[in-house]
Amino acid sequence: MESDIDLPECCGSGCTNCVLDRKTAKPPTSDAPNILDNSYRAFQCTSIIKCTANTFQFRFRYAGTHDSDKQLSIPPGSHLMLRAERGFRDARRPVAKIFEQWRRGIEVRPRGHVPRVEKYDKAERDLYFSRPYTPIRVDREGKAFEVLVKLETGGEMSEYFTTLDVGVVTEWKGVYGGFSWVRNGWKNVVGFGQGVGLAPIYSIMAGVLDDEEDETRLHLLYCCRDLDGVLMRSDMQAMGKYWNFGYSIYLSRESCSCEGKLARSCKCLSSRIKYNEPIFNHRLEEVDIENVLKKLVNGSFHVLICGNESFTKFVEGCVTRLGISDYYKF
Ligand SMILES: Cc1cc2nc3c(=O)[nH]c(=O)nc-3n(C[C@H](O)[C@H](O)[C@H](O)COP(=O)(O)OP(=O)(O)OC[C@H]3O[C@@H](n4cnc5c(N)ncnc54)[C@H](O)[C@@H]3O)c2cc1C
């Protein structure tokens, strides 16, 4: 029998019989049956909000009619697969106004050869492609979830997202992911997120704050290019009112006309942020990570990391040098 270790990567072809169903599919977490049972389900787009120049928040609500006894269960930190037809452009749906500016800003380049992983389910016709996305919020009763999507120039699914509008029905399946939250499992959890990599860490931390019996202390270190690129800014401010949540935002490329950058604080920035908003006009450095983690070494703690490859490597290197091996990379 094929062991899980030998299984190939997900080929991104949106197969009904997906390799992920064997690798990282999560078992149901409660007694009520879940709408998401590892087959594609219809979800209608009910809102689209522009968060930054290239990141949009989409809300999707279950569009099935025969599952009134089922609930929508998506554990924090897990992801779903969205699939779309390879021929989605043939539908010639008009581009919604909300995406016009992004589309104008992109340099349109022909798609060259994009390497594909060998198709897992060869019995399935190659009609679809799929990509994973991480819900930031789930409304169990309303059977809806929200995702933050950073549109990539030349990206196939990014193009598909720009053909969506309120009312369009999409196909999602899940639930996937290797991380499981355990209530009060650690005294402290420190999350390092970068850009849209905030999603799994945000959903886990918001879940802890919603759970009155969970007393885990949470520390979020979030990295962005500039102030306009900060996602979930007002949500983080609201979370900051909880006794067990603290955060800092680091801006690596915020332009600055004063000399504050040298002093790791900046007058131009302070005029644009709220009183006591913990936003710093410099890149996250090893010393910042040390300062947070060294205070926690005497209690149990866990580290979560989500960002691009170089960010993940940098944070992983720092925590490893501090002798910490209890960390999870999304
Ligand atoms: C577990 C997991 C969870 C995720 N959660 C989220 C999430 O919540 N939100 C989110 O926004 N993303 C998330 N992602 C990333 C997401 O799945 C997609 O990878 C992302 O949206 C890009 O997909 P795409 O189809 O638009 O780009 P692809 O078509 O896959 O292209 C990938 C990259 O290659 C570039 N490219 C494509 N064609 C060319 C070409 N001809 N020449 C040069 N470069 C080219 C594109 O610009 C893009 O940057 C997650 C990824 C994982 C693994």
Side-chain angles (χ1 to χ4, degrees), residues 45-272:
C45 177
T46 56
S47 81
I48 307 173
I49 299 167
K50 185 172 182 178
C51 305
T52 70
N54 60 10
T55 306
F56 295 78
Q57 186 172 323
F58 294 80
R59 185 178 173 90
F60 296 96
R61 193 177 56 219
Y62 182 53
T65 47
H66 304 296
D67 297 301
S68 53
D69 56 325
K70 293 188 179 170
Q71 62 177 24
L72 183 65
S73 173
I74 307 173
S78 30
H79 58 272
L80 308 178
M81 294 298 281
L82 168 66
R83 82 171 177 185
E85 284 182 28
R86 292 202 182 276
F88 71 89
R89 289 179 186 84
D90 300 343
R92 294 188 186 280
R93 268 199 299 266
V95 173
K97 243 191 160 38
I98 199 164
F99 300 116
E100 277 176 2
Q101 201 180 3
W102 182 79
R103 287 186 73 103
R104 271 201 303 273
I106 64 172
E107 131 216 9
V108 181
R109 59 181 163 181
R111 264 183 88 82
H113 174 70
V114 181
R116 293 243 319 262
V117 179
E118 200 190 340
K119 199 156 192 288
Y120 171 64
D121 184 0
K122 296 189 176 66
E124 179 110 335
R125 283 180 61 204
D126 206 4
L127 298 175
Y128 299 96
F129 64 100
S130 63
R131 302 281 185 272
Y133 294 92
T134 312
I136 47 162
R137 250 183 231 118
V138 180
D139 173 358
R140 282 169 91 102
E141 282 73 41
K143 300 181 180 176
F145 65 88
E146 289 169 26
V147 281
L148 284 174
V149 178
K150 179 180 173 234
L151 300 181
E152 300 282 357
T153 310
E156 193 71 344
M157 196 59 92
S158 301
E159 279 283 317
Y160 172 72
F161 270 111
T162 67
T163 69
L164 298 188
D165 205 343
V166 170
V168 175
V169 174
T170 55
E171 290 188 301
W172 296 82
K173 86 171 189 170
V175 180
Y176 305 107
F179 182 79
S180 297
W181 180 254
V182 181
R183 181 192 277 163
N184 296 315
W186 299 278
K187 211 165 176 218
N188 295 279
V189 164
V190 183
F192 294 92
Q194 182 215 26
V196 81
L198 178 65
I201 298 173
Y202 172 86
S203 74
I204 289 167
M205 293 191 168
V208 173
L209 298 182
D210 279 347
D211 179 353
E212 284 179 8
E213 287 172 41
D214 200 325
E215 301 203 333
T216 312
R217 287 169 192 263
L218 307 166
H219 311 256
L220 169 64
L221 290 88
Y222 177 45
C223 299
C224 266
R225 283 172 72 94
D226 53 32
L227 196 59
D228 292 337
V230 175
L231 298 167
M232 314 297 288
R233 188 170 159 194
S234 53
D235 300 77
M236 283 187 276
Q237 273 177 275
M239 287 160 80
K241 298 201 170 89
Y242 285 78
W243 68 271
N244 55 339
F245 178 82
Y247 73 107
S248 312
I249 299 176
Y250 298 87
L251 307 177
S252 58
R253 306 240 181 116
E254 177 67 28
S255 56
C256 165
S257 50
C258 71
E259 288 178 4
K261 274 223 154 183
L262 301 172
R264 290 164 61 88
S265 67
C266 172
K267 278 189 221 128
C268 348
L269 186 65
S270 51
S271 63
R272 296 172 61 206

Side-chain angles (χ1 to χ4, degrees), residues 308-327:
N308 66 21
E309 215 179 312
S310 62
F311 174 81
T312 304
K313 220 166 152 187
F314 163 68
V315 176
E316 198 179 3
C318 295
V319 299
T320 309
R321 277 192 289 283
L322 288 168
I324 297 160
S325 53
D326 194 11
Y327 60 87

